[in-house]
Amino acid sequence: MRMKKNIVLIGFMGVGKGSVAREIVRQSGMIAIDTDDIIESMENRRIKKIFEVEGEPYFRKIEARVAKWLRESVKNTLISTGGGFYKVPKLKKIGTVVLLDAPFETIYHRIIDHPNADKKLKKRPLFQDVDKAKTLYDEREPKYRAVADIIIDVSGKDYERIAKEIIAKTSK
Ligand code: S3P
């Protein structure tokens, strides 16, 4: 059995945190949760709606509450997060922080070349304008790296391989 520490997947919008999480679940049998899903359940409305009606600072406050709960109450779980979750206080206390890393162009194409591109874009309030998203990416990239325990370069790799790498590196 692998150790009891949580795995926390961080990275920019659209990098594939959810898809990688599902593949880790398939390979390892771990239980997985997603911070955006938790927030949508708590609020009983979509992230997009929360941003529209309450604004971003409100959303960030809920993220911090979720982080506190994860830290205090969740173990041995795979946690995928929203792209801004890396900013919560004491992130590393939640578990081993794994950054899924890729160039902006790769991420952008992963979204717009997807058959459900419209849906993928619409649900992300901070990805409405490409130039703004790129600026946000440039601003965040060094911060993601600074907080990560493990950095996985995901470009050109399939989910199976990425998941395998993460399982191997977090089982040591
Ligand atoms: C955000 C990323 C989104 C979601 C919210 C804010 C961000 O999650 O949490 O729209 O600040 O990067 P994904 O990374 O799953 O798109």
Side-chain angles (χ1 to χ4, degrees), residues 13 17 36 47 51 59-60 63 82-84 124-126 140:
M13 291 173 271
K17 294 168 298 224
D36 281 348
I47 305 284
F51 267 72
F59 177 76
R60 300 301 174 201
E63 281 191 319
R124 296 187 160 107
L126 300 179
R140 282 182 178 175

Side-chain angles (χ1 to χ4, degrees), residues 13-14 111 119-128:
M13 291 173 271
I111 295 180
K119 209 173 142 211
K120 288 196 169 282
L121 276 172
K122 271 201 194 117
K123 72 171 192 178
R124 296 187 160 107
L126 300 179
F127 216 121
Q128 297 311 297

Side-chain angles (χ1 to χ4, degrees), residues 44 75 85-86 92 109 119 121-123 125 138 167:
N44 194 27
K75 285 191 176 61
F85 192 83
Y86 76 100
K92 278 171 177 302
H109 277 286
K119 209 173 142 211
L121 276 172
K122 271 201 194 117
K123 72 171 192 178
D138 289 341
I167 293 167

Side-chain angles (χ1 to χ4, degrees), residues 6-11 17-18 21-22 32-47 50-51 59-71 74 77-88 91 94:
N6 296 315
I7 299 174
V8 185
L9 294 183
I10 65 162
K17 294 168 298 224
R22 285 185 283 279
I33 56 179
D34 179 274
T35 59
D36 281 348
D37 290 348
I38 293 169
I39 292 170
E40 289 189 339
S41 307
M42 285 166 77
E43 288 279 314
N44 194 27
R45 50 187 171 170
R46 297 285 177 202
I47 305 284
I50 301 173
F51 267 72
F59 177 76
R60 300 301 174 201
K61 270 188 208 145
I62 312 179
E63 281 191 319
R65 271 179 67 205
V66 171
K68 183 168 185 285
W69 168 73
L70 291 169
R71 220 163 49 228
V74 175
T77 296
L78 173 65
I79 303 162
S80 54
T81 66
F85 192 83
Y86 76 100
K87 283 189 274 193
V88 298
L91 177 72
I94 299 175

Side-chain angles (χ1 to χ4, degrees), residues 139-163:
E139 191 185 299
R140 282 182 178 175
E141 182 64 13
K143 297 178 189 163
Y144 284 138
R145 291 179 158 270
V147 81
D149 297 306
I150 296 168
I151 299 173
I152 307 280
D153 179 3
V154 300
S155 27
K157 295 177 190 163
D158 60 25
Y159 299 134
E160 194 175 337
R161 179 165 161 209
I162 299 164

